[in-house]
Amino acid sequence: MQINFLKKGTSFKKKRLAPDPYFYWKIIVTALFVLTIFSFGFGYVMFTETKDDIITTDKYITKKQPIEKEKIQKVIEYFSIRDKKSQEIINSTLRVVDPSL
């Protein structure tokens, strides 16, 4: 009976040359988890810094000015001229005869 302690056993297991996708998925999931935690922390810090700011002071509030009659008259005149031009275009006859008809 011979006992060989230093004999290397033969392994018939196939060696993989491709990278292990499970390892890369662990990296992606860990990175997303860290990014999510960082985003929540950043959002909380921004919220605590801006919640105490008062932005409704008098200098930021714009008061409504009364509309001047001259401006209204100019706008009405502009649109009436546009309406007249549109009516002229609609009522004009076609000068070019369409050969496909």
Side-chain angles (χ1 to χ4, degrees):
M1 174 156 77
Q2 286 184 339
I3 300 176
N4 293 330
F5 290 111
L6 300 176
K7 184 178 179 183
K8 182 178 179 185
T10 56
S11 174
F12 295 105
K13 187 175 181 183
K14 184 177 179 181
K15 304 265 185 196
R16 288 180 36 167
L17 297 175
D20 185 21
Y22 183 70
F23 172 72
Y24 292 108
W25 273 110
K26 286 197 296 188
I27 290 175
I28 291 170
V29 169
T30 305
L32 287 176
F33 180 74
V34 169
L35 185 66
T36 303
I37 297 297
F38 177 73
S39 297
F40 278 119
F42 181 73
Y44 178 75
V45 169
M46 286 286 126
F47 176 74
T48 56
E49 286 181 5
T50 59
K51 74 176 183 179
D52 296 331
D53 291 346
I54 298 174
I55 53 174
T56 57
T57 59
D58 290 338
K59 67 180 180 179
Y60 293 113
I61 297 174
T62 58
K63 297 180 181 178
K64 291 186 175 181
Q65 300 290 334
I67 300 173
E68 296 177 11
K69 288 185 178 184
E70 297 168 355
K71 289 183 180 180
I72 293 175
Q73 286 297 92
K74 285 182 182 179
V75 170
I76 291 174
E77 182 180 333
Y78 172 76
F79 282 109
S80 64
I81 291 171
R82 295 280 307 246
D83 186 42
K84 287 178 185 176
K85 286 182 181 179
S86 297
Q87 289 301 323
E88 287 175 7
I89 292 171
I90 291 172
N91 294 332
S92 69
T93 59
L94 291 175
R95 294 184 186 161
V96 177
V97 178
D98 189 9
S100 66
L101 296 176

